[in-house]
Amino acid sequence: MTEPGRLFDPDEPPPLRPQPAGPAVVRVLPDVSGLEKEFDYLPVADGEAPPVGSLVRVELQRRTVAGWVTATGVTPPPGVTLQPLVKVTSAGPSPDVVELARWAAHRWSGRLGPVLRAASPPRQVPLLPELGQRGNGPGLGGVSLVRLAPDDEGVGLIEPLARQGSVLVITPRLGAAGHLAGRLRRLGLGARLHPRDWPTSASRGGVVVGARSAVWARVPDLAGIVVLDEHDESLQEERNPTWHARDVAVERARRAGVPCVLASPCPSLAALALVGDAVHKPARSAERAGWPVVELVDRRTEEPGRSGLFSPRVANVVRGPGPVLCVLNRTGRAVMLSCAVCGELVRTEDREHLMVERDGQLVSPATGESRPLVCAVCGAAKLKRLRLGVTRAAEELAALAGEPVAELTAATRPGARLPARVLVGTEAALHQLGGVDTVVFLDMDAELLAPRYRAGEQAMALLLHAARLTGPRAGGGRIVVQTRTPDHRVLRAAVHADPGILTREEAVVRRAMGLPPYGALAEISGAGADALADRLLADPGLTVMGPRNGRWLIRADTPDHLADALRPSERPPGRLRVHVDPPRV
Ligand SMILES: [Zn+2]
């Protein structure tokens, strides 16, 4: 993989001085997209070798490009004439983080450059002295998982670690990080915001709070890492390599021998698997008190023929006091079928997925299962379509409420004053507002039964967002869910304010299918995907599924096996997009 040195080019001027002994030679990864070779250079004229992680500028193919020092004291191959670095521009990630980045690039089957970019300061920082680190040694520390009530910010998890040294605190969104940093400062914990305070956290440490890239932050004397809302998909990078801050945090803490604390009101199956289901739970009464009331409105029981968007109960809620947000999920444009007689949704035999009508038959896009156009519950052959859209919902809501209704779009400014008492929007609205008493989910079934293996966890995350918007039940917080599947594990978990109900049942389904965390998945697409899928078929340890819409799914028993199979050097030529651990397949 490493191709050291630049070959002597007769057109270039002769080297400035004879090649020195090994210790001064540095290896550099140029920050050039598509290039993953590393090259050897001499230090800047008569200077010392900059430490690993430093940002430098080098000459490459007659251009000056940026890059990172990835090793020092290397031995260049004999006969190679080296150029000096053009310039040392900035301090960068610490050497241990460079090694961690290398691990992540392999684990998520991508290049090292994008990971080092995420780990680099947002602007130039003078070189820093070698960092003091604790001497715990790898293997000590360990991972723990803490379930929190939705209204618990997790400050109690940070304080004990902060007394011992630097702590990295990872949150899904920068907004939440800023809020938490302010709160910690008021508690006298001197929190710094990542990446804004990169230079001070790199030299002085402390509590460093940020979104996912804070997991790469450079700090002296690391005492522990806390990942808040570890279930949140924003902790995963969207572009290749699709590293996940939770998993990087666990590996970084393991290497440093410090504790890693994962926390969430609805822990992911991935985190539960990491700790062998040993989760620290809050007292039942405290956890319940932290959730709003969750009320299910069973639409199957309404009189046959009724097919409006809103049940009589929801009409009452909308006319009642207090700000109300009605949410139509982004999957809300999907056409759902229900039985015109008994009101049940048309689902697959295992009741996990929706079925749609295709060529006079019912078909599941998720599993391919098919049957004639009949209700599996009562046998009736009369099915009806349920079709929903935000604009129509807003019109009907305004008529029901007898007052103007505001439609929220992606452009609505976060934290803006509520534009009306009754609001309607997609799930994005859950991130944009505050101060709502009631959230109504108009079509949660489309989310619950979506053809994605993580649909249940994703629906639970939506309910948690809503819970944080409305606040706890004692303050009047309420979530109303219109559904035809009130027995779904997600809804039972929410009603009982007990996320364990969801994860226990979900784990059984995942284990039976060998899906993550009981197996590893990658999605591959692009011109080279067919050839790669062909090659992977020869590996008996892999399951190759597809292609569907030009995409293949590759399953292995472990992330390591998957990473080895998808190693860039093993790939056939052709454009290839690799997404390891895709959350929405
Ligand atoms: Zn029926």
Side-chain angles (χ1 to χ4, degrees):
M1 203 166 129
T2 301
E3 182 161 303
R6 302 180 56 215
L7 293 173
F8 177 68
D9 179 345
D11 294 337
E12 283 180 1
L16 297 174
R17 58 202 154 114
Q19 187 172 317
V25 177
V26 298
R27 192 154 286 166
V28 171
L29 174 73
D31 186 8
V32 175
S33 80
L35 182 74
E36 51 186 337
K37 286 178 188 157
E38 292 164 52
F39 301 85
D40 290 352
Y41 292 88
L42 300 172
V44 181
D46 295 327
E48 281 180 29
V52 168
S54 303
L55 280 79
V56 294
R57 292 191 73 79
V58 295
E59 215 186 290
L60 182 73
Q61 287 153 5
R62 297 169 190 283
R63 283 194 303 149
T64 304
V65 298
W68 294 271
V69 174
T70 54
T72 55
V74 296
T75 309
V80 171
T81 304
L82 301 179
Q83 294 282 312
L85 299 170
V86 173
K87 195 179 166 191
V88 178
T89 46
S90 173
S94 47
D96 58 311
V97 169
V98 172
E99 282 318 298
L100 184 70
R102 223 183 256 290
W103 168 85
H106 175 70
R107 162 73 175 75
W108 283 277
S109 302
R111 298 183 199 283
L112 178 59
V115 188
L116 289 179
R117 218 173 291 140
S120 296
R123 56 191 178 277
Q124 293 179 13
V125 176
L127 287 194
L128 294 154
E130 195 55 38
L131 306 171
Q133 292 298 346
R134 332 172 61 74
N136 288 359
L140 297 169
V143 187
S144 52
L145 176 59
V146 183
R147 201 163 91 193
L148 299 172
D151 58 339
D152 184 340
E153 283 184 286
V155 172
L157 304 173
I158 300 165
E159 272 184 305
L161 291 172
R163 278 196 289 273
Q164 297 171 40
S166 296
V167 186
L168 301 180
V169 182
I170 323 295
T171 66
R173 270 161 282 273
L174 208 50
H179 176 82
L180 182 63
R183 171 105 198 267
L184 291 168
R185 264 181 232 120
R186 288 193 291 281
L187 289 169
L189 284 174
R192 306 187 202 283
L193 198 58
H194 181 88
R196 191 194 67 190
D197 302 331
W198 205 100
T200 29
S201 27
S203 56
R204 281 183 271 159
V207 180
V208 178
V209 188
R212 62 175 179 248
S213 70
V215 77
W216 306 107
R218 178 171 179 152
V219 285
D221 196 29
L222 181 66
I225 308 180
V226 178
V227 182
L228 297 171
D229 280 349
E230 63 75 24
H231 69 278
D232 198 301
E233 283 173 7
S234 303
L235 291 173
Q236 187 173 21
E237 167 63 45
E238 298 95 356
R239 289 156 302 178
N240 177 271
T242 49
W243 53 270
H244 196 299
R246 173 192 57 227
D247 303 331
V248 175
V250 168
E251 178 65 14
R252 182 169 182 179
R254 189 191 68 77
R255 289 170 177 228
V258 301
C260 181
V261 182
L262 309 176
S264 167
C266 48
S268 64
L269 287 181
L272 285 161
L274 281 170
V275 297
D277 291 338
V279 56
H280 302 271
K281 295 174 212 163
R284 201 72 268 283
S285 55
E287 184 169 40
R288 238 182 96 73
W291 283 85
V293 171
V294 177
E295 180 188 339
L296 306 184
V297 178
D298 186 351
R299 301 214 69 189
R300 295 172 306 179
T301 60
E302 292 167 20
E303 71 266 33
R306 210 193 139 77
S307 61
L309 274 177
F310 307 96
S311 61
R313 171 62 187 147
V314 167
N316 274 335
V317 169
V318 169
R319 290 189 200 108
V324 181
L325 168 65
C326 295
V327 177
L328 268 170
N329 307 91
R330 71 181 138 201
T331 43
R333 273 168 297 167
V335 176
M336 293 192 291
L337 294 174
S338 81
C339 174
V341 176
C342 73
E344 286 282 349
L345 281 175
V346 177
R347 283 186 277 175
T348 48
E349 202 164 345
D350 63 6
R351 302 165 68 82
E352 289 289 318
H353 301 291
L354 290 170
M355 299 183 85
V356 298
E357 187 188 339
R358 198 177 292 158
D359 304 327
Q361 277 219 314
L362 294 173
V363 180
S364 159
T367 64
E369 183 180 326
S370 68
R371 67 165 186 263
L373 290 167
V374 292
C375 170
V377 177
C378 75
K382 199 174 171 203
L383 306 177
K384 67 181 179 194
R385 270 170 231 280
L386 308 169
R387 200 192 282 269
L388 308 158
V390 170
T391 304
R392 196 184 124 202
E395 289 163 11
E396 288 191 21
L397 262 180
L400 272 180
E403 62 183 289
V405 167
E407 192 179 320
L408 300 175
T409 66
T412 308
R413 203 158 41 84
R417 218 165 55 84
L418 295 182
R421 191 187 63 83
V422 182
L423 310 134
V424 63
T426 62
E427 64 193 50
L430 293 171
H431 299 288
Q432 292 164 336
L433 295 175
V436 171
D437 287 346
T438 306
V439 173
V440 181
F441 285 96
L442 296 172
D443 65 338
M444 190 54 114
D445 294 338
E447 190 71 27
L448 293 173
L449 304 173
R452 302 187 301 259
Y453 82 92
R454 296 199 62 226
E457 287 184 296
Q458 288 156 350
M460 193 69 202
L462 283 183
L463 288 164
L464 173 64
H465 276 305
R468 291 202 169 130
L469 253 187
T470 67
R473 60 191 67 209
R478 178 178 293 269
I479 296 175
V480 180
V481 182
Q482 292 197 135
T483 180
R484 289 166 196 272
T485 60
D487 55 341
H488 195 282
R489 51 187 176 269
V490 170
L491 299 180
R492 276 183 286 121
V495 166
H496 295 283
D498 180 3
I501 293 174
L502 167 63
T503 46
R504 273 193 302 276
E505 297 180 23
E506 191 87 14
V508 175
V509 177
R510 295 268 189 96
R511 207 185 283 272
M513 312 272 292
L515 288 169
Y518 313 105
L521 273 185
E523 186 182 62
I524 58 171
S525 57
D530 290 2
L532 179 60
D534 250 10
R535 184 175 299 184
L536 296 175
L537 275 169
D539 183 338
L542 299 176
T543 312
V544 179
M545 295 165 271
R548 187 189 288 166
N549 304 325
R551 291 158 192 278
W552 297 84
L553 269 186
I554 315 297
R555 189 206 160 272
D557 281 335
T558 64
D560 279 349
H561 185 176
L562 192 63
D564 287 341
L566 295 174
R567 210 182 272 279
S569 56
E570 302 291 313
R571 291 178 195 167
R575 240 184 101 74
L576 195 66
R577 198 184 127 72
V578 178
H579 193 155
V580 177
D581 301 339
R584 296 193 168 256
V585 298

